[in-house]
């Protein structure tokens, strides 16, 4: 395995930031929660927004590629409303609203 768990985490974070066109000033809101090696050739990286239960799970392969079909999980549903997001920058809140609405 050529990648470390730290490398895989950074690759997944950059992938998500590019996927959502997150500007540099909003990237600090997204963090690597966990990065674990699965088998011998890929990692599962868990990303999140601190203080929120929402999580993205992205597969990162040993060649540095990310599986574009990542998984988003959240106990919050669109029908619950979005009051919990009012203290976030608008772009970060929009990402969470969009992901929650798709579920």
């Amino acid at each position: 395995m050529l990648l470390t768990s730290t490398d895989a985490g950074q690759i997944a974070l950059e992938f998500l930031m590019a996927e959502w066109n997150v500007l540099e000033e909003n990237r600090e809101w997204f963090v690597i929660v966990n990065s674990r090696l699965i088998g011998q050739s890929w990692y599962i990286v868990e990303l999140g927004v601190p203080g929120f239960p929402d999580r993205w799970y992205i597969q990162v392969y040993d060649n540095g590629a990310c599986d574009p079909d990542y998984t988003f999980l959240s106990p919050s549903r669109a029908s619950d409303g979005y009051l919990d997001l009012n203290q976030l920058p608008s772009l970060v809140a929009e990402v969470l609203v969009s992901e929650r609405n798709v579920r």
Side-chain angles (χ1 to χ4, degrees):
M1 171 57 76
L2 299 175
L3 294 178
T4 66
S5 65
T6 302
D7 294 336
Q10 287 300 314
I11 290 168
L13 186 60
E14 287 302 316
F15 170 81
L16 190 65
M17 297 301 95
E19 181 79 9
W20 285 101
N21 296 315
V22 175
L23 300 174
E24 191 66 40
E25 61 265 16
N26 291 317
R27 289 178 181 219
E28 67 189 32
W29 287 92
F30 297 88
V31 297
I32 302 163
V33 176
N34 193 6
S35 179
R36 63 184 183 275
L37 182 63
I38 305 295
Q40 294 181 5
S41 61
W42 55 284
Y43 286 88
I44 289 287
V45 179
E46 179 182 356
L47 303 173
V49 175
F52 292 85
D54 310 89
R55 294 291 185 261
W56 290 268
Y57 296 90
I58 300 173
Q59 293 179 2
V60 179
Y61 300 102
D62 59 355
N63 64 1
C66 292
D67 186 334
D69 294 324
Y70 62 85
T71 299
F72 175 79
L73 296 175
S74 177
S76 302
R77 302 192 185 286
S79 61
D80 296 337
Y82 302 106
L83 292 176
D84 62 329
L85 305 178
N86 62 3
Q87 74 267 21
L88 294 174
S90 61
L91 179 68
V92 178
E94 287 175 30
V95 168
L96 288 173
V97 166
S98 179
E99 291 281 32
R100 289 177 181 179
N101 284 340
V102 171
R103 295 187 342 104

